[in-house]
Structures are given as C-alpha cells and as structure tokens.
Amino acid sequence: LSDILRHYLRLHCTSNHLVFLLNASQQDTAALSEGLVSEGVVRPPKIINNEVTSEERTQLYVQGGVYAVTSRILVVDLLSKRLPATLVTGFVVLNAHRVAETSTEAFILRLYRQQNKTGFVKALSDRPELLAGGFAKIEKIMKSLWIRKMFLWPRFHVAVSETFASHAPEVIELHQPLTQSMQEIQSAIMEVMEACMLELKRCNKSEMSEFTLENGLFKSFDLIVRHYLDPIWHKVGPKTRQLVTDLGQLRKLLTYLLRYDCVTFFSFLDTVRHSDNQHSLWLFTEAADRLFKLAKSRVYQLKRAPAKTAASNGSESLVSKLDIVLEENPKWSLLKEVLQEIEVDSNTIYPRVGTAVQKPPVLVMAADDRTCSQIREYLSTGGSAMMNRQFRNYLRSEEHT
C-alpha cells in the first residue's frame, strides 16, 4: 500500500497541485517523504501541525504540493477561508476504514465537495475485514468519503498473484513445541472458552453455528461475534454481555501465553482474578482453578520440606519452602539458536575486510513493542537475568497491593 501511495503522490508533488493527506501519522508521512526523496522528488510531502502558524500555512497553500495536515487545523482553515476549497486539487485519505459519518474527516470532505465539484478524493485501506462489520458499513464509509467506486485487490487477484509469484521468498518454517505446563494451560483455557460458548448459545436462541472453539482461536472471531450480536446488542442481557467480554479476555490469555514470559502471564492472570471475581462465572470452574495453579507453577512452587524443631527430642516438622522455577518461553531459545546459526553463516559468506566485518542486518519482527523489549533484553542479558528481574518486579508490586 505504501508503494501505491508513493507512486500516486509522486505525480502531485509539484507547485501545480495542492493535495492533502488525511489520517496519516507522522511516521507514515516521514517514511513516505523519505521514499519520494530517494526517487528524486524535489518537493516531498510536508507535515503541517500546531507548530506552523496561520500565516505560514497560508503561504504553503499558495506554493502548492502535498501536505499532511491534522484534521483540526484543516477544518479551521476551511471554515475561515484561509484555504479556499477551489484551490485544492484533491484529498488522499489513509486508513479509510476509520472514517465515520461523525468523524472530522467526513466533515472536511463535505466542506470540500460543497465548494469544489471537480477535485478528487482517494481513500486507501489495508484492513478490508474492518469494512464488513455493522449494518451497511461500506455504504456509510463511501458516503462519508464522497466516493462512488470501490476497488478490491485480494491476494487471489491475477495481478497480485503474479507479482507475489515473481518475488516468492524462501521461507523456512521452524516448529517449536510447547512445554508440558504450557500445553496444560492452553487446554484449560480452551476448555473454559468452550463452556462460555455453550452458555452463550443457551442464552441466545438465534442461530450461532459459527460460535465454535476452532473459530474462537482466530482474530476473525471478534467479527463473527459482532455480526451476530450487533443488531440485537440493545436487547441482550447482562449475562450475554459478560460472556462476550469473558471470551475476549480468554482469547487474550491464549495470545499472552505464547507471547510473553511466565511472570507477565501469571501477573495478568492474577489481575483478572482479583479485578473481576464477581461477574465472570468461568473463574469458579474447575478448569479455571487448574489454570491458576499451572500458571503459578511456572513461576514458583511451594514445597513441603522436613525441618527439625527446637524441641530437645529432635522431632521433625514440615515447613514450606519456596522453589523458584521461572520457566522460559521455549521459542526464545529457538530464536537464539537461529541467530547463532545466522552468525556462523555470515562469517562464512562475508569475509573480514580489515578489522571489521561488513554484514547485513538481521531483522526480528514481533507483534508489539513489549515483545520487542523482551527479546532485546533476552538476547543482551540472557534468559536467567531477565526472568529474575521480572520476578523481582512482581514481588515489589505484590508488596504494594
């Protein structure tokens, strides 16, 4: 999508055009400008925010080009006639799935269309699944954007498929099995999810054939829930609403089990138990009790050990002993092995030049910033040091509660 946007805006980065980018973050605009500069564009897109005065904005509008402007500033400039709508060549809207009838972007485009009937409006989105929720959502978005045509480019489109086929990457899949405790935790969560789905079907008499455990493991399950319940959400009772919330929370637990360390997972699970112990019925099931015990056993275990008493007869009694486990996520060690293998191969492929070795960078992609932080700490300090730090932070947080 970024390549399509860059090639399209390249045609308008001149003084003869005045094009505005809406819904674009600073990172998107910076990456777009950097790409256009590398292609030889003299006037790349510029960012207009609250640091640019009204007089400076007026001068920039006259000069033409492509600008990424915040919606609030653009509304003020259009209403105050500081930006004549007749001078605007067109608008390019990113993340079109976020535009609603009451959004600022829709108001801007309405002001623009009332005064300019010839300019263009282009909207782009790489999240087509978000266009399917609700009642006639696509029609409402297109009406808010003042556009009449929509083009879908799925992966099975001939042009897209041929492009992917001509640049097919070499993919090596590595399968890392879960530890025994992680498998048992996963089974317990899935058992609770299945019980919640059965209860949800029992509470609602409508057809819910897609409410299955298999579908509940995927992100699309949230869209399935919305598809069935959004039209009757104002009619459902508090029990149904709580079950929908519980299913979302359980799906989050499944994700956190595979993504984070055992201390973070247990801390989140402990927070769920203490913050919502009255309404969520799954917390009182046998599977939930097994889930909490298994999550705790990955962090620490209390073991009974014999100890001599102070009595003169030398009799023994049982005392509790804290055994710190701190089970590491198995995929971390696999990642470390892969990076070490890459290091060995790089030393063979790329010879040493003088005192330095010119090696290409290795990119490790993760789901979120927290995962990236954990991976960085694991590779730099080691798993044992990182897990001990996490456990100390957990103990400190427990002291303050």
Side-chain angles (χ1 to χ4, degrees):
L1 187 64
S2 58
D3 292 340
I4 297 174
L5 181 62
R6 188 173 66 251
H7 288 304
Y8 182 75
L9 290 181
R10 185 176 182 179
L11 304 174
H12 300 283
C13 290
T14 62
S15 58
N16 298 328
H17 300 86
L18 179 59
V19 178
F20 291 97
L21 275 175
L22 294 179
N23 263 354
S25 63
Q26 290 189 358
Q27 292 81 4
D28 295 336
T29 309
L32 186 63
S33 300
E34 185 178 351
L36 289 172
V37 169
S38 64
E39 294 179 359
V41 175
V42 180
R43 302 184 60 176
K46 296 181 180 179
I47 300 176
I48 297 180
N49 50 27
N50 56 355
E51 297 178 358
V52 182
T53 63
S54 58
E55 292 78 10
E56 293 173 343
R57 293 201 302 270
T58 304
Q59 294 177 2
L60 290 174
Y61 296 153
V62 174
Q63 295 173 6
V66 179
Y67 299 99
V69 191
T70 59
S71 299
R72 291 184 178 182
I73 291 178
L74 205 54
V75 166
V76 172
D77 289 348
L78 284 171
L79 292 175
S80 63
K81 304 298 181 180
R82 188 176 294 114
L83 171 62
T86 53
L87 294 181
V88 180
T89 308
F91 285 87
V92 177
V93 185
L94 301 184
N95 301 310
H97 54 272
R98 298 179 184 174
V99 178
E101 295 174 325
T102 56
S103 63
T104 310
E105 291 77 17
F107 182 59
I108 291 173
L109 296 176
R110 185 162 74 248
L111 291 175
Y112 174 61
R113 271 290 174 250
Q114 288 174 353
Q115 305 174 48
N116 190 329
K117 307 294 184 181
T118 59
F120 67 84
V121 176
K122 306 291 183 181
L124 303 173
S125 174
D126 56 357
R127 300 290 301 276
E129 69 276 6
L130 298 181
L131 301 175
F135 178 73
K137 188 173 182 179
I138 295 180
E139 289 82 352
K140 292 178 181 178
I141 292 177
M142 293 179 66
K143 183 179 179 181
S144 302
L145 292 170
W146 293 78
I147 57 178
R148 298 180 179 179
K149 296 181 180 179
M150 182 179 67
F151 300 93
L152 296 175
W153 292 79
R155 287 181 176 269
F156 55 81
H157 193 281
V158 175
V160 178
S161 180
E162 290 178 353
T163 303
F164 284 153
S166 61
H167 300 82
E170 181 184 354
V171 180
I172 301 175
E173 293 187 9
L174 302 176
H175 298 274
Q176 173 63 49
L178 301 177
T179 63
Q180 182 64 30
S181 57
M182 292 178 71
Q183 291 179 8
E184 294 177 2
I185 290 175
Q186 192 178 57
S187 300
I189 297 175
M190 293 171 67
E191 184 178 336
V192 176
M193 287 182 64
E194 189 172 17
C196 290
M197 289 182 184
L198 291 175
E199 186 65 20
L200 189 61
K201 290 180 181 179
R202 192 183 66 81
C203 295
N204 298 272
K205 304 301 181 181
S206 59
E207 178 63 25
M208 292 186 175
S209 58
E210 296 187 55
F211 275 52
T212 61
L213 183 60
E214 291 76 12
N215 290 335
L217 302 178
F218 299 97
K219 292 182 178 180
S220 58
F221 182 71
D222 294 335
L223 298 177
I224 295 175
V225 173
R226 272 189 243 149
H227 172 72
Y228 280 102
L229 296 180
D230 270 1
I232 59 172
W233 189 253
H234 61 287
K235 297 181 181 179
V236 299
K239 187 175 182 180
T240 299
R241 294 171 183 255
Q242 185 61 46
L243 286 170
V244 172
T245 303
D246 291 343
L247 284 172
Q249 209 164 52
L250 291 168
R251 289 186 63 254
K252 192 179 294 184
L253 284 175
L254 278 176
T255 304
Y256 287 1
L257 174 65
L258 304 178
R259 185 178 298 177
Y260 299 135
D261 60 275
C262 62
V263 180
T264 302
F265 178 78
F266 178 64
S267 178
F268 178 77
L269 195 61
D270 204 34
T271 303
V272 170
R273 179 172 58 179
H274 289 93
S275 63
D276 194 10
N277 56 359
Q278 295 180 352
H279 305 288
S280 298
L281 298 179
W282 71 269
L283 292 172
F284 304 99
T285 61
E286 181 183 350
D289 184 60
R290 190 167 69 251
L291 168 62
F292 288 112
K293 290 180 179 179
L294 289 169
K296 184 176 72 173
S297 66
R298 296 179 64 211
V299 182
Y300 66 89
Q301 296 178 3
L302 292 175
K303 294 183 177 181
R304 295 284 185 174
K308 291 185 177 181
T309 61
S312 58
N313 57 6
S315 60
E316 294 184 348
S317 63
L318 294 177
V319 296
S320 297
K321 179 183 178 182
L322 181 63
D323 184 17
I324 301 177
V325 180
L326 299 180
E327 181 184 82
E328 292 186 10
N329 198 319
K331 66 181 180 181
W332 292 345
S333 58
L334 177 63
L335 173 63
K336 191 172 183 179
E337 292 176 6
V338 171
L339 293 177
Q340 290 174 348
E341 182 181 345
I342 294 175
E343 181 72 18
V344 173
D345 293 342
S346 298
N347 292 333
T348 305
I349 299 174
Y350 301 96
R352 183 180 295 274
V353 180
T355 58
V357 180
Q358 302 295 329
K359 299 179 183 179
V362 178
L363 176 62
V364 179
M365 301 184 66
D368 52 26
D369 293 339
R370 186 166 189 170
T371 307
C372 293
S373 178
Q374 284 194 345
I375 293 175
R376 187 185 302 111
E377 185 178 0
Y378 175 81
L379 296 176
S380 59
T381 64
S384 178
M386 185 191 75
M387 297 300 297
N388 285 320
R389 185 190 65 81
Q390 293 275 18
F391 187 59
R392 287 194 300 269
N393 291 340
Y394 170 74
L395 293 178
R396 288 195 202 97
S397 63
E398 287 296 306
E399 291 176 358
H400 291 89
T401 56

